Amino acid sequence: MLKSKNFSYRKMKLEDVYDFKKWGRHNTPLLDDYNFYEDTDTELKDWYNWKTQNPNSMYFSILKDDFAIGYISFKYFNKLIKSATLGIVLDPSIINKGYGTEILLYMMDYYFNSLEQKKISLKVATFNKRAISLYSKVGFNKVST
C-alpha cells in the first residue's frame, strides 16, 4: 500500500468497486459519464474485470479512512518509450476540496520514480475547466486541442 499525507493507494480491488456505488452524482449532463451507475454484483464484477484485466493498464484505488473515494489509472503502457495515459476519477461528493493536487503529485512521483516511466499524457474535455486547472497546476502542458 502506498501512502501520501491524507490518502492511501493500492492496486484496485473488487471490494473498492463496492464503495464506488455509494458515491454521489455529478449534476451536470456534461459529467454524466463519470457517474458510477453499476449496481448489481454482476455489473460490479464486470466493470472491475474490464478495468483491471488489461496487462497494459494499472488501476489504483484512492482511499481516505479506508473508503475508496476515487481511482487513478495508467493505461496504454508503451514499454519502448516508457509512457502511458493518465486517468483519474473522484467521488463527485468530495471534489473541489483540493484533494486532486495531493493525489496527482503523489502518484506522478510514484509513476516517474518508482515505475521509472519517462512520459505521461492525458485527454481532458475542453469544458472541464476544474480538471484543466488541476492538470496545469501539477505541471501538465497543453499539447493540442
Side-chain angles (χ1 to χ4, degrees):
M1 176 135 359
L2 307 169
K3 292 185 185 278
S4 64
K5 181 179 177 187
N6 294 298
F7 305 99
S8 299
Y9 313 84
R10 66 177 175 211
K11 287 205 176 170
M12 187 183 288
K13 295 181 178 184
L14 179 58
E15 67 190 69
D16 301 330
V17 179
Y18 283 83
D19 285 349
F20 301 167
K21 74 182 226 174
K22 299 173 189 167
W23 288 358
R25 298 263 191 255
H26 290 286
N27 295 324
T28 173
L30 292 174
L31 297 174
D32 190 60
D33 284 347
Y34 296 100
N35 288 330
F36 195 82
Y37 288 111
E38 288 72 14
D39 192 45
T40 68
D41 284 340
T42 299
E43 290 172 335
L44 294 168
K45 289 174 185 172
D46 287 349
W47 185 92
Y48 171 77
N49 288 331
W50 170 54
K51 294 293 186 181
T52 62
Q53 297 304 308
N54 185 330
N56 293 320
S57 296
M58 295 176 73
Y59 280 79
F60 292 87
S61 294
I62 304 160
L63 303 150
K64 183 163 181 55
D65 303 321
D66 295 320
F67 182 80
I69 62 155
Y71 62 90
I72 191 164
S73 62
F74 302 116
K75 301 180 285 192
Y76 314 114
F77 270 100
N78 182 319
K79 294 176 183 166
L80 182 64
I81 60 173
K82 295 188 171 222
S83 71
T85 301
L86 171 73
I88 183 170
V89 176
L90 297 175
D91 174 352
S93 65
I94 59 95
I95 59 173
N96 293 323
K97 295 186 178 189
Y99 294 163
T101 302
E102 177 183 339
I103 291 165
L104 281 179
L105 287 174
Y106 182 83
M107 291 305 287
M108 291 297 90
D109 180 68
Y110 174 78
Y111 176 83
F112 288 112
N113 294 311
S114 296
L115 297 179
E116 299 178 337
Q117 299 300 295
K118 302 291 182 202
K119 180 180 176 182
I120 195 157
S121 61
L122 60 84
K123 293 180 181 179
V124 61
T126 55
F127 64 79
N128 196 341
K129 304 298 183 201
R130 185 186 76 253
I132 293 168
S133 175
L134 170 63
Y135 297 139
S136 180
K137 183 178 181 179
V138 300
F140 281 89
N141 296 309
K142 183 176 177 179
V143 174
S144 67
T145 301

